[in-house]
């Protein structure tokens, strides 16, 4: 598969995904998701400059 073909395939997937969401066809959209999906929102912390500002131990949520 060429890079152009891969780009087209990815774009078609995103257009299909957007169409399902815009049409409120959530069950069909859920079928597009991989079984091993992880949805996480890490907690940002105020740190001194140069220090990591995302906690690896806490988060707002972590779902699968």
């Amino acid at each position: 598969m060429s890079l152009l073909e891969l780009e087209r395939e990815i774009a078609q997937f995103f257009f299909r995904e957007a169409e399902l969401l815009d049409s409120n066809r959530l069950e069909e959209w859920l079928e597009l998701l991989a079984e091993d999906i992880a949805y996480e929102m890490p907690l940002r912390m105020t740190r001194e400059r140069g220090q990591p500002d995302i906690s690896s131990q806490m988060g707002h949520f972590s779902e699968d």
Side-chain angles (χ1 to χ4, degrees):
M1 176 180 288
S2 74
L3 184 57
L4 183 59
E5 290 170 326
L6 178 60
E7 185 178 285
R8 184 174 293 143
E9 187 175 322
I10 292 169
Q12 287 174 344
F13 175 84
F14 285 142
F15 290 140
R16 174 74 175 139
E17 182 181 33
E19 177 186 344
L20 292 174
L21 290 171
D22 289 346
S23 301
N24 204 29
R25 294 161 49 194
L26 302 180
E27 293 294 326
E28 291 176 68
W29 175 76
L30 283 173
E31 292 173 9
L32 298 176
L33 301 179
E35 290 291 324
D36 61 348
I37 190 171
Y39 186 58
E40 301 177 344
M41 178 181 249
L43 185 64
R44 293 189 68 105
M45 301 177 301
T46 303
R47 300 279 181 121
E48 289 189 35
R49 192 173 293 217
Q51 297 286 324
D53 65 346
I54 296 177
S55 173
S56 61
Q57 298 173 353
M58 290 189 295
H60 293 286
F61 56 82
S62 179
E63 302 289 334
D64 59 9

